[in-house]
C-alpha cells in the first residue's frame, strides 16, 4: 500500500507545479499595477517606485515566481497590498469557517445521498422509488445559488425560523452555530447528494447481477441483509471516487454559497480581494484551492485502493 501511495506523489507534484505557473502568469496579466494599488492612487511616482522595490516587483518575472513559490512552500505568502496583513493570517481566519461549512455539507450529502441511493435500489414500492427518483432529479438540477435564495425566502424571510445570513462558531455556541450552518450547508450539499444517490443506486444494481447475490437470494437471505451486508460493501468503491470529486466541487461552490449567506470564509475573501485587485491574496488562495483539490483526489484514490485491493494489483 505504501508503494502504491508513493507512486501517486510525482504526478500530484507535477500538477501543483503546472497550476502554480498558470495562476502566477494569469494574475500578472490582469489589469492594474500592484505597486500603485499598494501605494495608493494619489501616491507620487517616487513613492510608487519605492513600494515596487519593497515588494520585489522590479525584478524579472521568473525571479518573482520563484520567490513567491519558495514562500508558498514555507507558508509565507507575503502581505496583502490593501489590508497590510500577512496573507497567511487572512487565509487562516477564513479557512476554518469554509472547512466548517464544507464538512457540514459533506455530512448532509452522505446522509441524504446514501438514504436516497438505498431507497432507489432496494425499495419495493413503485411510488416510493418514483418519488425518490423525482426528488433526486430536482436536487441535481438545482444549483446552490438557486437553492440558497429559495431557502432564505422560505425559512428566513417568510417564516423567520433561521437567520438569513452570518456566522457563529460551533465551538463557542453549538446551538446558535447550527442555526447559521443549516441553510448554507444544505444548499451546498443538495446537488452532491443527488449525484451520490444516482451512482450508489446504479452501483448496487450492477452488484445485484453478480453470482454471489443470486446465491444469497436463492438461500433465502432477507433483502435488507443482502443489500447492507453483501451488495453495499461491493458497490462502494466507485461511489467513493465520486464522493472525492463532489467534495472538490463543494469547495468551489462554497464561494457562491458564502456570498449568499454572508459566510466569512475564503470564498468571501476571494470576492473581496478581486474587487480591490489584491492579487497576492487571490493567487495564494487559488494555489491553496488547487492543492486541497489534488490532495482530495489523491486521498480518494488511496481510499479506493484500500476498499478494492484489485486496483492496487492492476496499477502495481
Amino acid at each position: 500500500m505504501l508503494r502504491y501511495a508513493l507512486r501517486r506523489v510525482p504526478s500530484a507534484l507535477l500538477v501543483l507545479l503546472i497550476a502554480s505557473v498558470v495562476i502566477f502568469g494569469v494574475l500578472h496579466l490582469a489589469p492594474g499595477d500592484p505597486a500603485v494599488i499598494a501605494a495608493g492612487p494619489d501616491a507620487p511616482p517616487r513613492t510608487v517606485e519605492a513600494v515596487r522595490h519593497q515588494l520585489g516587483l522590479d525584478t524579472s518575472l521568473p525571479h518573482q515566481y520563484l520567490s513567491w513559490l519558495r514562500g508558498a512552500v514555507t507558508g509565507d505568502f507575503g502581505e496583502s497590498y490593501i489590508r497590510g496583513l500577512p496573507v497567511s493570517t487572512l487565509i487562516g481566519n477564513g479557512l476554518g469557517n469554509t472547512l466548517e461549512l464544507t464538512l457540514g455539507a459533506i455530512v448532509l450529502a452522505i446522509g441524504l445521498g446514501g438514504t436516497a441511493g438505498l431507497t432507489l435500489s432496494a425499495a419495493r414500492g413503485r411510488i416510493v422509488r418514483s418519488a425518490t427518483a423525482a426528488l433526486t432529479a430536482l436536487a441535481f438540477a438545482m444549483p446552490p445559488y438557486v437553492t440558497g435564495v429559495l431557502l432564505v425566502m422560505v425559512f428566513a424571510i417568510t417564516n423567520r425560523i433561521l437567520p438569513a445570513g452570518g456566522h457563529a462558531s460551533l465551538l463557542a455556541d453549538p446551538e446558535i452555530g447550527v442555526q447559521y450552518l443549516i441553510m448554507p450547508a444544505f444548499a451546498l450539499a443538495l446537488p452532491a447528494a443527488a449525484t451520490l444517490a444516482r451512482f450508489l443506486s446504479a452501483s448496487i444494481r450492477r452488484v445485484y447481477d453478480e453470482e454471489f447475490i443470486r446465491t444469497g437470494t436463492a438461500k433465502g437471505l432477507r433483502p435488507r441483509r443482502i443489500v447492507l451486508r453483501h451488495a453495499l460493501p461491493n458497490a462502494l468503491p466507485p461511489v467513493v471516487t465520486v464522493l472525492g470529486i463532489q467534495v472538490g466541487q463543494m469547495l468551489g461552490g462554497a464561494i457562491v454559497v458564502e456570498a449568499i449567506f454572508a459566510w466569512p470564509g475564503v470564498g468571501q475573501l476571494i470576492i473581496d480581494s478581486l474587487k480591490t485587485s489584491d492579487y497576492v491574496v487571490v493567487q495564494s488562495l487559488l494555489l491553496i484551492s488547487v492543492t486541497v483539490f489534488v490532495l482530495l483526489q489523491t486521498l480518494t484514490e488511496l481510499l479506493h485502493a484500500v476498499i478494492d485491493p484489485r486496483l492496487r494489483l492492476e496499477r502495481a
Side-chain angles (χ1 to χ4, degrees):
M1 188 63 202
L2 179 61
R3 185 179 177 184
Y4 177 83
L6 292 176
R7 288 169 65 91
R8 309 272 78 77
V9 174
S11 59
L13 292 178
L14 179 62
V15 170
L16 289 177
L17 183 63
I18 295 173
S20 68
V21 173
V22 172
I23 291 170
F24 182 85
V26 168
L27 287 178
H28 271 70
L29 293 176
D33 186 342
V36 175
I37 295 171
D42 300 325
R46 181 177 297 179
T47 302
V48 173
E49 289 305 318
V51 171
R52 193 188 308 281
H53 178 71
Q54 182 184 355
L55 297 176
L57 299 175
D58 54 352
T59 59
S60 64
L61 278 180
H63 184 273
Q64 292 180 45
Y65 166 74
L66 292 175
S67 176
W68 171 67
L69 188 61
R70 193 183 307 115
V73 170
T74 59
D76 180 10
F77 296 99
E79 288 191 357
S80 164
Y81 296 152
I82 304 301
R83 301 170 181 84
L85 295 173
V87 175
S88 56
T89 301
L90 294 172
I91 294 175
N93 292 337
L95 188 60
N97 296 334
T98 296
L99 290 178
E100 180 182 315
L101 172 61
T102 307
L103 286 176
I106 292 171
V107 171
L108 281 174
I110 292 175
L112 295 174
T115 303
L118 289 174
T119 302
L120 282 172
S121 58
R124 294 184 175 181
R126 185 175 179 180
I127 296 177
V128 175
R129 288 201 306 272
S130 299
T132 306
L135 288 175
T136 55
L138 180 63
F140 186 76
M142 296 276 279
Y145 61 86
V146 174
T147 309
V149 172
L150 290 176
L151 289 173
V152 170
M153 291 177 63
V154 174
F155 295 104
I157 297 176
T158 304
N159 295 296
R160 298 179 182 274
I161 298 174
L162 294 170
H167 172 262
S169 173
L170 281 173
L171 297 177
D173 193 337
E175 184 178 352
I176 301 299
V178 167
Q179 293 181 23
Y180 280 103
L181 179 63
I182 289 177
M183 287 200 295
F186 189 79
L188 193 59
L190 211 52
T195 304
L196 289 177
R198 289 187 171 195
F199 273 89
L200 179 60
S201 173
S203 186
I204 288 178
R205 287 177 182 175
R206 279 197 296 272
V207 175
Y208 273 168
D209 294 331
E210 299 288 340
E211 185 66 32
F212 69 95
I213 295 293
R214 289 197 291 270
T215 302
T217 305
K219 286 183 176 179
L221 295 179
R222 294 180 178 179
R224 177 179 298 181
R225 181 181 176 84
I226 290 177
V227 172
L228 298 180
R229 295 289 301 274
H230 300 286
L232 184 59
N234 288 281
L236 281 181
V239 179
V240 170
T241 303
V242 174
L243 176 61
I245 296 173
Q246 292 302 310
V247 171
Q249 292 184 349
M250 280 192 277
L251 285 170
I255 295 176
V256 177
V257 173
E258 288 178 4
I260 294 174
F261 292 96
W263 188 271
V266 293
Q268 192 67 41
L269 180 60
I270 287 180
I271 293 174
D272 293 340
S273 300
L274 284 172
K275 288 179 180 176
T276 56
S277 302
D278 199 354
Y279 296 131
V280 68
V281 177
V282 177
Q283 67 184 14
S284 301
L285 284 171
L286 291 178
L287 182 61
I288 290 174
S289 300
V290 173
T291 303
V292 171
F293 188 81
V294 170
L295 285 176
L296 285 173
Q297 291 304 305
T298 305
L299 290 175
T300 301
E301 288 186 10
L302 294 179
L303 183 57
H304 195 165
V306 170
I307 296 175
D308 188 356
R310 293 173 298 180
L311 189 66
R312 298 201 300 271
L313 297 175
E314 288 175 1
R315 299 184 180 181

